[in-house]
Amino acid sequence: SNLLWSCQTPTLGFCVERHDIIQTFAPESYWLVETSISINNINIPLSYSRGRIFDQQCAHILLLLINRHGDATVHYVKKSTHKKQRPKALNTVEMLRLASSHLGMGPHHTMQVAERLYTSGYISYPRTETNSYSALIPL
């Protein structure tokens, strides 16, 4: 059958691809080394610059090195300011992609949440990428 909406085919492909990724996902163990220092009764959290450690022995060695030293010396401090641009309005495909990759939400759940947000007045109507329509559609 002919699809009336040109955005349906890529969206379906995206949904199938994401479903396949979810079905074949294998979780991988990782460790986080987090510590803190206290200066003038102000607790300052510290974390490993690479974030997650995927080797348990490496994480354990790092923890031993941290625990071995009672004193620390700061060798470098980097300060920076970042300006964030206002986010652009999402079209439906981009909204589905971001909800999947950042929130782990499936397309059906994402659209349900978007509909509730829209009917509650929190977001504008999600747009599609389509700007041309079939001649069969009475506009």
Side-chain angles (χ1 to χ4, degrees):
S1 72
N2 292 335
L3 293 176
L4 294 177
W5 307 100
S6 62
C7 65
Q8 288 177 333
T9 302
T11 303
L12 177 60
F14 166 77
C15 294
V16 169
E17 179 183 323
R18 184 66 184 153
H19 177 267
D20 290 344
I21 290 170
I22 290 169
Q23 294 302 313
T24 59
F25 175 76
E28 187 175 0
S29 297
Y30 65 89
W31 291 262
L32 296 172
V33 176
E34 296 176 340
T35 188
S36 64
I37 58 173
S38 182
I39 301 174
N40 299 329
N41 293 326
I42 298 173
N43 196 38
I44 302 170
L46 304 173
S47 60
Y48 182 55
S49 64
R50 293 185 180 178
R52 297 175 182 172
I53 302 170
F54 292 93
D55 183 315
Q56 185 178 12
Q57 285 183 319
C58 180
H60 184 70
I61 291 169
L62 188 55
L63 183 61
L64 289 174
L65 290 171
I66 291 168
N67 288 332
R68 183 184 300 167
H69 298 285
D71 297 322
T73 303
V74 175
H75 292 281
Y76 175 72
V77 175
K78 179 182 176 184
K79 247 183 167 180
S80 62
T81 304
H82 299 280
K83 286 188 175 184
K84 282 187 148 184
Q85 296 293 326
R86 177 181 289 183
K88 295 178 181 170
L90 294 178
N91 59 44
T92 305
V93 174
E94 185 68 6
M95 176 184 67
L96 291 169
R97 187 186 70 74
L98 290 173
S100 176
S101 62
H102 293 287
L103 303 173
M105 294 170 58
H108 181 73
H109 184 223
T110 300
M111 292 306 290
Q112 286 179 326
V113 171
E115 182 179 2
R116 282 196 307 270
L117 290 171
Y118 172 70
T119 57
S120 298
Y122 291 109
I123 64 172
S124 65
Y125 188 77
R127 309 292 194 266
T128 67
E129 292 180 306
T130 302
N131 58 9
S132 62
Y133 300 95
S134 167
L136 300 173
I137 299 171
L139 297 177

